Amino acid sequence: MTISTPDLCDEYPDEVRVLEPVMHNFGGKKAFGGEIVTIKCHEDNSLVKEQAGKPGHGKVLVVDGGASRRKALLGDMIAENAVKNGWEGFIIYGCIRDVDAIAALNLGVQALGAIPLKTEKRGIGDLNVSVTFGGLTFNPGDFVYADNNGVIVSSKKLSG
């Protein structure tokens, strides 16, 4: 499926919800989508690393990092592992690092920005809980679609 968020918004106006324009596209895959898996964490990417190491075919990891711009929730090693495990991409309400390496990967990555500092790994966070940021709630099992135009969510899988 070729993903175009404007086309999906036009075709399914009553079924999509749109994230406020806060994200920047960092991944090598500029358009991506899939079933939502959520993580809520703050300056601790333990669960992000753990989930990237599991099969993620057809899925997107949506990470609510509380908009922290102090630590990176995703780096090149976790991103490379996600590619190996078939993840479509990441939507991160926080920062990433290793942006040049991530841009070379076949992985969708949208985040607020970049910072070179890694997080501490304390094992703190919540998996598959509803998360809200940018005026939008992301529910596990819903579907997210992202490209250079923005990020949209639907409670059902859309076809373009």
Side-chain angles (χ1 to χ4, degrees):
M1 172 178 148
T2 301
I3 293 170
S4 166
T5 58
D7 289 350
L8 291 173
C9 286
D10 292 350
E11 192 168 341
Y12 302 98
D14 298 327
E15 297 174 30
V16 299
R17 304 179 310 276
V18 181
L19 182 69
E20 294 171 357
V22 296
M23 296 293 173
H24 300 282
N25 215 339
F26 290 99
K29 186 188 292 185
K30 297 300 181 193
F32 60 100
E35 183 180 350
I36 295 172
V37 175
T38 64
I39 291 175
K40 186 173 181 73
C41 60
H42 185 73
E43 298 180 4
D44 180 347
N45 68 350
S46 302
L47 281 177
V48 177
K49 180 179 180 181
E50 179 182 307
Q51 288 304 300
K54 295 181 178 180
H57 297 280
K59 295 180 181 178
V60 174
L61 198 57
V62 176
V63 182
D64 180 357
S68 172
R69 295 178 182 262
R70 299 186 313 185
K71 305 280 178 130
L73 294 172
L74 179 68
D76 60 345
M77 291 188 292
I78 294 173
E80 288 169 3
N81 203 20
V83 171
K84 288 178 193 168
N85 286 298
W87 286 88
E88 296 296 322
F90 291 82
I91 306 288
I92 299 179
Y93 193 54
C95 288
I96 69 164
R97 66 189 212 156
D98 303 314
V99 295
D100 294 333
I102 288 173
L105 296 175
N106 186 27
L107 183 70
V109 178
Q110 291 210 7
L112 294 179
I115 190 164
L117 294 173
K118 67 180 181 177
T119 69
E120 295 177 27
K121 303 243 186 328
R122 301 182 312 264
I124 299 171
D126 296 305
L127 177 65
N128 279 329
V129 296
S130 293
V131 297
T132 302
F133 56 84
L136 187 58
T137 298
F138 297 82
N139 298 305
D142 282 356
F143 293 85
V144 64
Y145 303 92
D147 63 12
N148 284 324
N149 296 290
V151 177
I152 62 173
V153 171
S154 174
S155 59
K156 68 178 195 175
K157 189 172 186 176
L158 304 177
S159 58

